Amino acid sequence: EEKALRAKFATIGIEAGKRVILYAPTWRDNQYDKSGRYQFAMKLDLERMYRRFRDDSVLLIRGHQLVAGSVDTAMFGGFARNVSHYPDISDLYLVADVLLTDYSSVMFDFVNTGRPMLFFTHDLEAYRDDLRGFYFDFEAEAPGPLLTHTTEVVDALADLDRVTAEQTGRYDAFRERFASLEDG
């Protein structure tokens, strides 16, 4: 089934043998244009990601439906792809080797894959204290490392096996708490 999905995604530029990084951040209540439409401000340094991972990875960017149109990947060729309008995010979970997110609820679904998660939390204090906050102790219970700069994201992706091993306890506890009844 995974091979069939990878074949399907070849049409959007995923080459065989490439590691698939799914970046699925949530939207921000405080980022909007003059007409009131929500906007997406890319805080992840795509140029740095491109320079480091262009030969062995592809970055799929899944913007929240409220900001999907403002994700621009044009200058990164086959490395970065905007898959915000792909109809079923479940397919993206299945093809992804690693999830990069922030505070998005995608973590609750993706944990069922057993694959690693990284959290790009560049605005943690503002999100927690001024925007939406959390329903659980995110900082203590997130099933992966909290990374505040692109450099940390790049380093974690470059040494993903080690990072994953370090996070096993948190990951397992999160999975048990939030997805223990999900058995396929």
Side-chain angles (χ1 to χ4, degrees):
E1 183 175 300
E2 187 172 328
K3 281 185 178 187
L5 280 173
R6 286 199 183 263
K8 181 192 285 188
F9 285 117
T11 62
I12 60 171
I14 299 176
E15 297 174 34
K18 295 259 184 171
R19 173 175 63 168
V20 178
I21 305 164
L22 175 60
Y23 180 39
T26 194
W27 60 289
R28 302 298 191 272
D29 306 62
N30 62 348
Q31 294 177 0
Y32 47 87
D33 64 17
K34 293 177 187 176
S35 66
R37 288 182 304 226
Y38 290 105
Q39 298 296 304
F40 176 67
M42 180 65 74
K43 299 296 183 179
L44 186 64
D45 184 344
L46 293 184
E47 187 172 336
R48 183 176 287 177
M49 297 279 293
Y50 172 77
R51 283 193 316 263
R52 177 60 178 88
F53 299 114
R54 69 178 172 235
D55 294 331
D56 65 0
S57 301
V58 62
L59 179 67
L60 302 181
I61 303 173
R62 174 68 174 216
H64 188 279
Q65 66 182 3
L66 293 174
V67 296
S70 58
V71 177
D72 183 11
T73 60
M75 68 183 275
F76 300 102
F79 171 70
R81 299 286 176 169
N82 181 355
V83 294
S84 300
H85 296 291
Y86 186 83
D88 189 352
I89 195 169
S90 296
D91 288 349
L92 301 176
Y93 297 151
L94 293 174
V95 76
D97 296 301
V98 57
L99 174 68
L100 175 60
T101 189
D102 47 16
Y103 323 106
S104 174
S105 63
V106 299
M107 72 180 93
F108 297 100
D109 295 326
F110 193 80
V111 74
N112 290 301
T113 69
R115 296 181 188 135
M117 289 186 260
L118 306 173
F119 294 86
F120 183 48
T121 56
H122 61 89
D123 61 347
L124 177 63
E125 293 81 14
Y127 190 91
R128 180 191 62 218
D129 300 340
D130 301 326
L131 290 178
R132 288 187 239 154
F134 302 105
Y135 292 109
F136 69 104
D137 189 349
F138 175 78
E139 292 167 80
E141 297 181 63
L146 307 184
L147 311 166
T148 58
H149 297 86
T150 300
T151 301
E152 294 174 316
V153 172
V154 167
D155 290 346
L157 287 167
D159 198 7
L160 193 57
D161 289 341
R162 179 191 55 79
V163 171
T164 301
E166 290 173 354
Q167 298 296 317
T168 298
R170 288 171 59 118
Y171 194 98
D172 291 346
F174 185 89
R175 192 174 193 178
E176 178 61 30
R177 178 172 179 202
F178 294 108
S180 63
L181 299 177
E182 300 295 332
D183 63 5

